[in-house]
Amino acid sequence: MKKKILSMTLAASTLMGCGPNVPQLGKSSTDEVIAAMTLEEKAHLVIGTGMAGFTGENAVIGETRSLVPGAAGTTYPIERLGIPAVVLADGPAGLRINPTREGDSATYYCTHFPIGTLLASTWDQELVENVGKAIGNEVLEYGADVLLAPALNIHRNPLCGRNFEYYSEDPVVSGKIAAAYVRGVQGNGVGVSVKHYAVNNQETNRMANDARVSPRALREIYLKGFEITVKESVPWTVMSSYNYVNGTYASENKELQTTLLRDEWGFHGIVMTDWFGGKDAVAQMIAGNDMLQPGTDQQFEDIVNAVNEGRLDETILDQNVKRILEMILQTPNFKGYKFSNNPDLKAHATITRQSATEGMVLLKNENAVLPLSSDVKNVALFGCTSYDFVAGGTGSGNVNRAYTVSLLDGLKNAGYTVDESLKPIYEQYIEEENKRNAPDPSNQFAHFMPTPRPVEMALTLEQIEKQAVNTDVALVTLGRMSGEFEDRTTSDFNLSNEELKLLQDVTKVFHASGKQVVVVLNIGGVIETASWKNLPDAILCAWQAGQEGGNSVADVLSGKASPSGKLPMTFPVKFEDAASSANFPVNQKANIDITHKGGKKNDVKNVDYTNYEEDIYVGYRYFDSFDKQVSYPFGYGLSYTSFEYGNPSIKEENGEYIVSIDIKNNGKVAGKEVVQLYVAAPKSKKIDKPEKELKAFAKTKELNPGETTLITMKVKASDLASYDESASSWVVDAGTYKFLVGASSRDIKAVLEAEVTAFSEKTNDILKLQEPLTVLTKK
Ligand code: BGC
């Protein structure tokens, strides 16, 4: 359908002529180009070119060469004005394009880097910037212009199906890691789209769910990461989210897209919708949502008609068009960059392998079982996922990679002998399970959705005993897979009976023969650990570590790399413990309604609307303020060595608090430490304050045994502010603040104090609740 309009416009353009006096983008000013555009051309430019990009068709009529098959979309080209189409492609863990093309024997594989959650677990902004640099290089060399990443929605609840793409339950971690990623990608001269702005914290009914959140929780938790990213990395574009925020679609919400993003934060780039997001194209234009992707005929007609009927001021359209043209001017496609289609995939494989080891979190290491001693030569490998390692999640966050290294292969590459007698049994079982779980071909989104993982395979005690005789140690991998469209279920959060039985039997048999057991978690989001963590000797949370996953895990197990990741979220004891669990679509069926036929409904709690009653008490802000037991706290992670914190100091300089501390490696092997700075505000009469909040963090360089380094972390006085809704202001109360230097949120190594003077900053009074909400407070 879209094609019809495209060809009609092309004919119209031809009639309008392309002579020497027609302004050309880049040669004439953007204002002159806009003045020469027809209303139809403007309406085309603010919407995309339809879904052709998804299917690999050449999306663009009038172009002399094909664009990038499998990219998510393109902008609309207007040849007579010298406006090329530019290519928009997913996604966070690497570039998502089709790996093969019809009639072409070449391949176009991209590197699957570690998932966002693993990158955040490195707490290493320099490392993330380097990963971004490599991803951006693939964007450039495969001919794309804008990467639809990073994704930095808050881990509000462990079950959100897309948490793997996101970074953390904390906005400072999310914002700083996203900013580093953006700097890395954009350093290549390509753009990013920071997504999903905002409050897209559940997949269930994501296109029509109304997130009802207090302005304070919005400002302090859900928008803060975006604010940091926009201010610290100047992204080219932002992607508005699907959901409603306090009664208005995010993409139709002028307060979000203009008042906050542009007027308050100073964003100058473009906002594009998420694919098919929002309902009212005219409202989106007015809100400052410049571009609608992937674009539909209906949107085109609505915009043209609204201008003709006086419902949409053409100057608004012109402003959105101008911002799009300014973005296009920066792109490689506009500049005629000759891409190679041949990025250095080998070099990038090394980057992903190494970066993945730095985000793996050692949760348990009894009797220093890890790194495996040099006496360990033979390994027993249990769990389907050991043989079928998960590189990342599904949907737009997937990357079409050439291979994924399994744990089996990773161990063999590292020189271990794996008892392979179970291999054919596992492989046959996995094949059968995958057949059984094959996606329903009648579902048009099937290829995009997570397919269920195999139920863990049952082994007899005899089979396990045989393994124990032949090997020195047992590895048990527990795997999870999720993706967009669906949230995880509580049975995905908890271990299945089959997994638990396997773990019990393996530990019983191996321990009886004096051998140890290591669990590897190949997961994209939090799972239950409290009830079984006493069983194995060690637990390594390897996350979904990208295409080199098996090699990266083997590097950590063997001690070639010392794990230095820490958790960017809390592992609760039980799912119900998370404060948001009472207001989350638990085990609800997903609803994929991209047509919006249903419209906005108000009846089903957590589906049609979700009340963010926990307010600012997300993650450790809740667990620590309400003194709740957790399985593993925020910021937690062990190392193969140990660190001593010494000589803490604090000073104030030009409105900044500068905290310094010596970190000494007092163990036996080299390692890196993540250091966290929390601030506890004095009790406020007016504002309910969390017990403490993360304000800064740093990671040491690799420290040799006995080596000491000085870590310095800075916090601006204004970063100490809470949002006071009654005054619509950021407010810092005067008083004595505690600056807590910690190895995790529950392992505070030094407490410093500073006198802070009062400060307040007025903001726009926006994003108000439309429905009453009773929020959690400590009082
Ligand atoms: C996702 C976005 C993605 C877009 C294009 C949507 O379904 O929510 O994150 O960038 O598709 O693939």
Side-chain angles (χ1 to χ4, degrees), residues 473-536:
V473 71
L475 299 186
V476 182
T477 307
L478 302 174
R480 292 289 182 275
M481 167 84 97
S482 71
E484 67 179 293
F485 295 117
E486 264 179 16
D487 290 311
R488 296 169 57 211
T489 58
T490 44
S491 44
D492 197 68
F493 179 81
N494 295 320
L495 291 205
S496 64
N497 293 339
E498 292 80 3
E499 286 172 325
L500 194 58
K501 171 102 173 48
L502 177 72
L503 208 51
Q504 284 164 339
D505 288 351
V506 170
T507 46
K508 194 163 98 197
V509 171
F510 273 71
H511 286 166
S513 43
K515 292 171 184 176
Q516 292 169 310
V517 178
V518 177
V519 167
V520 175
L521 300 179
N522 183 201
I523 56 180
V526 175
I527 63 166
E528 187 274 321
T529 48
S531 71
W532 58 265
K533 66 183 178 186
N534 61 320
L535 293 174

Side-chain angles (χ1 to χ4, degrees), residues 262 269-270 288 290 319-327:
R262 301 179 203 274
I270 70 160
D290 311 280
Q319 185 191 42
N320 297 355
V321 164
K322 187 169 179 168
R323 288 196 281 243
I324 296 172
L325 291 179
E326 278 163 0
M327 191 270 288

Side-chain angles (χ1 to χ4, degrees), residues 190-327:
V190 297
V192 298
S193 198
V194 173
K195 67 190 186 184
H196 308 90
Y197 181 69
V199 211
N200 187 172
N201 302 108
Q202 67 181 63
E203 286 303 288
T204 307
N205 199 30
R206 65 178 182 170
M207 302 192 90
N209 174 262
D210 184 16
R212 299 178 180 171
V213 202
S214 76
R216 179 181 179 197
L218 283 173
R219 295 259 187 185
E220 292 186 19
I221 308 291
Y222 296 101
L223 300 169
K224 194 65 176 176
F226 288 97
E227 179 181 355
I228 294 171
T229 314
V230 164
K231 289 182 175 168
E232 294 188 6
S233 67
V234 195
W236 288 13
T237 88
V238 163
M239 185 189 291
S240 55
S241 61
Y242 284 129
N243 49 287
Y244 294 83
V245 178
N246 290 337
T248 309
Y249 264 127
S251 59
E252 299 172 10
N253 193 326
K254 192 171 179 188
E255 294 182 341
L256 261 185
Q257 309 306 344
T258 297
T259 319
L260 188 67
L261 183 62
R262 301 179 203 274
D263 301 347
E264 281 194 31
W265 298 349
F267 177 67
H268 293 297
I270 70 160
V271 176
M272 68 177 85
T273 58
D274 197 348
W275 268 230
F276 299 105
K279 209 161 41 174
D280 181 343
V282 177
Q284 289 170 318
M285 287 296 110
I286 294 170
N289 193 123
D290 311 280
M291 189 161 72
L292 314 182
Q293 282 290 342
T296 64
D297 290 352
Q298 188 63 53
Q299 289 169 330
F300 173 82
E301 279 159 31
D302 287 350
I303 290 169
V304 170
N305 291 342
V307 173
N308 287 335
E309 291 160 17
R311 287 179 289 112
L312 175 62
D313 188 336
E314 198 163 346
T315 57
I316 291 176
L317 194 57
D318 288 352
Q319 185 191 42
N320 297 355
V321 164
K322 187 169 179 168
R323 288 196 281 243
I324 296 172
L325 291 179
E326 278 163 0
M327 191 270 288

Side-chain angles (χ1 to χ4, degrees), residues 389-644:
F389 218 57
V390 183
T394 55
S396 57
N398 175 42
V399 179
N400 294 312
R401 59 209 170 268
Y403 61 87
T404 303
V405 178
S406 68
L407 185 52
L408 171 70
D409 289 336
L411 289 165
K412 291 203 303 197
N413 294 342
Y416 291 99
T417 304
V418 180
D419 183 327
E420 293 194 46
S421 54
L422 291 179
K423 185 182 169 206
I425 308 173
Y426 269 113
E427 283 179 348
Q428 192 190 342
Y429 175 78
I430 293 167
E431 201 185 315
E432 281 161 13
E433 280 287 281
N434 287 346
K435 255 191 222 145
R436 195 170 65 82
N437 291 324
D440 169 5
S442 68
N443 177 354
Q444 56 168 324
F445 296 105
H447 69 286
F448 231 56
M449 311 252 315
T451 40
R453 300 279 307 152
V455 172
E456 193 50 68
M457 188 176 85
L459 290 173
T460 61
L461 274 180
E462 290 70 45
Q463 282 173 306
I464 298 170
E465 277 158 4
K466 232 166 131 194
Q467 290 280 314
V469 173
N470 296 331
T471 57
D472 306 313
V473 71
L475 299 186
V476 182
T477 307
L478 302 174
R480 292 289 182 275
M481 167 84 97
S482 71
E484 67 179 293
F485 295 117
E486 264 179 16
D487 290 311
R488 296 169 57 211
T489 58
T490 44
S491 44
D492 197 68
F493 179 81
N494 295 320
L495 291 205
S496 64
N497 293 339
E498 292 80 3
E499 286 172 325
L500 194 58
K501 171 102 173 48
L502 177 72
L503 208 51
Q504 284 164 339
D505 288 351
V506 170
T507 46
K508 194 163 98 197
V509 171
F510 273 71
H511 286 166
S513 43
K515 292 171 184 176
Q516 292 169 310
V517 178
V518 177
V519 167
V520 175
L521 300 179
N522 183 201
I523 56 180
V526 175
I527 63 166
E528 187 274 321
T529 48
S531 71
W532 58 265
K533 66 183 178 186
N534 61 320
L535 293 174
D537 303 279
I539 306 173
L540 177 70
C541 178
W543 297 123
Q544 292 164 347
Q547 70 183 40
E548 287 282 330
N551 283 335
S552 304
V553 174
D555 287 344
V556 171
L557 297 177
S558 67
K560 193 174 155 200
S562 180
S564 59
K566 291 198 178 182
L567 296 177
M569 81 295 278
T570 313
F571 275 47
V573 173
K574 297 192 302 297
F575 163 72
E576 294 75 18
D577 290 351
S580 58
S581 291
N583 288 289
F584 191 83
V586 183
N587 306 336
Q588 299 262 13
K589 201 73 205 117
N591 170 14
I592 308 164
D593 174 18
I594 61 165
T595 61
H596 305 283
K597 272 196 212 105
K600 183 159 175 278
K601 292 188 193 142
N602 291 319
D603 37 2
V604 185
K605 184 171 176 242
N606 301 332
V607 175
D608 297 320
Y609 66 93
T610 302
N611 289 335
Y612 283 46
E613 284 172 4
E614 75 285 358
D615 209 40
I616 58 154
Y617 290 109
V618 179
Y620 71 90
R621 281 174 170 75
Y622 171 71
F623 293 110
D624 292 359
S625 303
F626 291 81
D627 219 5
K628 297 275 174 203
Q629 208 192 331
V630 300
S631 186
Y632 294 111
F634 175 80
Y636 170 86
L638 302 171
S639 165
Y640 291 159
T641 188
S642 55
F643 300 95
E644 194 182 293

